[in-house]
Amino acid sequence: MKIATPVIIPRPDHTISRANISENAVKVLYRLKNAGYEAYLVGGGVRDLLLGREPKDFDIATNAHPEEVKKVFRNCRLIGRRFRLAHVHFGREIIEVATFRSMQEPGEEGDRETENGMLLRDNVYGTIEEDALRRDFTVNALYYNIEDFSVVDYTGGMADLEQGVLRLLGDPETRYREDPVRMLRAARFAAKLGFRINEACEAPIFELSDLLQSVPAARLFDEVLKLFMGGVALESFEKLRHYNLFGQLFPETEEALAHEEHEFPITFVTRGMQNTDTRVHEGKPVTPAFLFAVLLWEPVRQLADEFRLGGESPLQAMQQAGSEIVFRQAQRISLPKRFSIPMREIWNLQHRFEFRTGKRPHRLLAHPRFRAAYDFLLLRAESGEADQELADWWTRFQELEGDERNKMAKSPKGEGDGRRRRRRRRRKPKTKQPEAD
């Protein structure tokens, strides 16, 4: 690819201010500059600042090699296998510093390996011009220069930013084959920024979506969290389904969605995504366990129904179904135990909400996973998959205390558990013995 002459946007002509950049990122930029190196803020941080958004993190690009960066910063650690990176630590904040990457082809000087068109390793260092053309989208290839506070644009990213367009650098099919995750990134940025994907970059996604099957399951787990836990879960879900990407990530769920009845289960999934977005926007915690519980619930529920028809108890059926679906899903996306275990607990607790008399509701209320399971029940009720009266009962039960709560657990209205009660056997009347003559 031909290296273009950059467009320099001087400080008066853009909206980036050092006041909106992390104080620690500014420190890194200036210390690299004062040590004699080039230093630029780059990527999503620059993009978001130009859009008036608050960046999630700040990445820096430099001509200093990782070992040279480490000499400048005592609080620096080198990480990465595919591409060596420097992490500069300031308490909990980490500023990532990357050396400019090269455009060299395989076989030239450097450390670069590919397999079936997918880039596996790349430790070839280059210039800022080459680094810009190696990035994925033009809007992510804008550089903020701490030397004169200008924005440097080698790829037409500023124009695409103004027009709301996502455009890949290079041939789209080649770039997707190099790294299939770029298709997920395209969908995520389109959802996050409200941008449209350039037609030439959009068309190959429909045909190449199955390339995601070659991506390591652990990496896809990280990408799914970025897709669904950034405040645009619903939009991301819709984009993924539109581009036939969702089925590559969650094949069992996609199969269930394809056979929905009366708008369920798609209503349940969309409400789950809306719930996640609401919590993110309100600053409330969001756990991957709940997110995956929502995404996998329908295939689990259907399989549990099959096991129940085969004679298993509701709890046994749910436990077996949960184990089977988690195993299948882990072939595509890894599910760490710290999330899969609470996820399965959320599922297993659902049938216990049916038992509303005696000590059972009190024990369930004290369960450490009660709140997540209760929120899950509310979603099921909102989507029409569970009885709204059941959800309302549990809402009231939590609000009461002491004797009032005990009364609810004794009330005939709480007899919604459908349990078969043992019929007391009548004793046969004793036969009167005849009196002796």
Side-chain angles (χ1 to χ4, degrees):
M1 184 179 296
K2 184 179 179 180
I3 295 178
T5 302
V7 174
I8 307 296
I9 300 96
R11 175 64 187 90
D13 295 340
H14 65 76
T15 57
I16 297 179
S17 168
R18 280 170 294 170
N20 297 326
I21 302 174
S22 160
E23 180 181 343
N24 293 321
V26 173
K27 285 181 183 178
V28 174
L29 288 167
Y30 272 116
R31 286 184 64 179
L32 286 170
K33 169 183 171 293
N34 294 336
Y37 299 108
E38 297 177 51
Y40 299 83
L41 191 68
V42 68
V46 177
R47 179 200 67 216
D48 290 345
L49 287 170
L50 289 169
L51 290 172
R53 296 166 171 259
E54 183 177 352
K56 184 178 179 181
D57 46 40
F58 296 90
D59 297 334
I60 291 172
T62 179
N63 62 343
H65 287 197
E67 294 75 15
E68 294 171 327
V69 175
K70 190 172 184 180
K71 290 180 181 179
V72 176
F73 300 95
R74 294 174 59 186
N75 53 330
C76 175
R77 290 182 58 190
L78 301 185
I79 67 159
R81 296 178 62 184
R82 173 177 163 182
F83 188 80
R84 201 80 164 144
L85 298 170
H87 276 184
V88 184
H89 293 253
F90 296 90
R92 292 187 176 183
E93 184 176 16
I94 297 175
I95 305 300
E96 186 172 281
V97 182
T99 306
F100 297 143
R101 291 174 296 178
S102 172
M103 292 293 295
Q104 289 181 1
E105 295 299 326
E108 296 184 32
E109 183 181 355
D111 184 7
R112 189 179 186 190
E113 301 173 10
T114 62
E115 182 177 302
N116 297 326
M118 184 186 297
L119 202 59
L120 300 180
R121 194 171 183 186
D122 184 357
N123 278 328
V124 188
Y125 304 127
T127 64
I128 182 175
E129 295 89 351
E130 293 176 300
D131 188 76
L133 297 178
R134 282 292 313 278
R135 295 188 176 270
D136 49 10
F137 299 96
T138 60
V139 296
N140 291 339
L142 296 168
Y143 296 74
Y144 174 76
N145 188 357
I146 198 64
E147 182 78 35
D148 59 6
F149 317 124
S150 65
V151 172
V152 184
D153 179 8
Y154 284 93
T155 66
M158 186 65 80
D160 285 341
L161 201 68
E162 293 170 351
Q163 296 171 18
V165 174
L166 278 175
R167 187 191 312 272
L168 273 167
L169 285 160
D171 175 66
E173 181 172 342
T174 300
R175 300 309 301 277
Y176 290 143
R177 290 188 180 279
E178 284 179 351
D179 186 358
V181 167
R182 288 191 175 116
M183 292 183 283
L184 298 180
R185 287 170 60 82
R188 175 160 62 89
F189 289 140
K192 175 183 177 179
L193 304 175
F195 282 16
R196 61 182 176 83
I197 302 175
N198 168 267
E199 291 182 6
C201 302
E202 182 181 51
I205 297 178
F206 297 98
E207 301 175 1
L208 302 177
S209 61
D210 60 348
L211 291 177
L212 287 172
Q213 296 179 31
S214 63
V215 178
R219 189 179 177 205
L220 288 181
F221 174 76
D222 293 335
E223 291 299 324
V224 166
L225 297 190
K226 294 176 184 178
L227 280 159
F228 294 125
M229 297 183 69
V232 288
L234 181 58
E235 291 87 344
S236 297
F237 170 68
E238 293 173 345
K239 292 288 184 185
L240 291 175
R241 292 206 77 204
H242 174 72
Y243 291 116
N244 299 329
L245 296 170
F246 185 80
Q248 299 298 329
L249 301 175
F250 297 92
E252 303 278 348
T253 307
E254 178 60 31
E255 177 66 19
L257 293 175
H259 297 90
E260 65 203 43
E261 295 180 5
H262 307 295
E263 297 186 350
F264 181 82
I266 195 169
T267 301
F268 176 77
V269 178
T270 55
R271 284 187 179 274
M273 298 299 101
Q274 289 172 334
N275 175 270
T276 300
D277 290 339
T278 298
R279 293 184 67 86
V280 170
H281 296 150
E282 293 178 351
K284 296 179 180 179
V286 179
T287 170
F290 191 89
L291 175 68
F292 277 87
V294 169
L295 288 167
L296 297 174
W297 170 245
E298 184 58 16
V300 168
R301 188 187 70 84
Q302 290 181 358
L303 189 56
D305 286 345
E306 293 180 18
F307 287 140
R308 276 202 300 272
L309 290 174
E312 299 288 355
S313 70
L315 178 58
Q316 291 174 326
M318 184 59 66
Q319 289 174 334
Q320 291 182 25
S323 297
E324 179 64 25
I325 296 302
V326 168
F327 174 78
R328 295 179 194 173
Q329 181 60 43
Q331 309 308 305
R332 294 294 179 90
I333 301 175
S334 64
L335 293 171
K337 286 186 177 180
R338 67 183 184 276
F339 300 129
S340 65
I341 291 175
M343 172 182 70
R344 292 173 61 181
E345 286 182 318
I346 290 171
W347 294 334
N348 294 339
L349 290 177
Q350 293 307 300
H351 85 286
R352 288 179 58 179
F353 285 108
E354 299 289 343
F355 300 93
R356 292 179 276 168
T357 57
K359 295 182 180 179
R360 287 192 173 192
H362 296 278
R363 288 198 294 265
L364 179 55
L365 192 62
H367 194 284
R369 210 68 66 189
F370 170 80
R371 186 67 203 187
Y374 165 73
D375 289 342
F376 197 83
L377 172 66
L378 293 184
L379 282 178
R380 293 174 57 214
E382 289 174 9
S383 61
E385 191 256 323
D387 191 344
Q388 185 63 50
E389 185 273 331
L390 179 66
D392 293 341
W393 190 94
W394 278 99
T395 301
R396 293 194 303 272
F397 187 70
Q398 294 175 75
E399 295 170 350
L400 299 176
E401 295 181 359
D403 291 340
E404 292 297 320
R405 184 178 287 174
N406 291 333
K407 287 179 182 179
M408 276 194 73
K410 292 179 181 178
S411 170
K413 292 183 179 180
E415 296 289 350
D417 52 34
R419 288 179 291 174
R420 291 185 178 181
R421 305 202 176 265
R422 288 188 177 183
R423 297 180 61 185
R424 297 183 64 181
R425 294 178 62 185
R426 288 187 177 182
R427 291 186 178 182
K428 293 183 179 180
K430 291 184 178 179
T431 305
K432 192 174 181 180
Q433 296 294 328
E435 295 182 4
D437 292 334

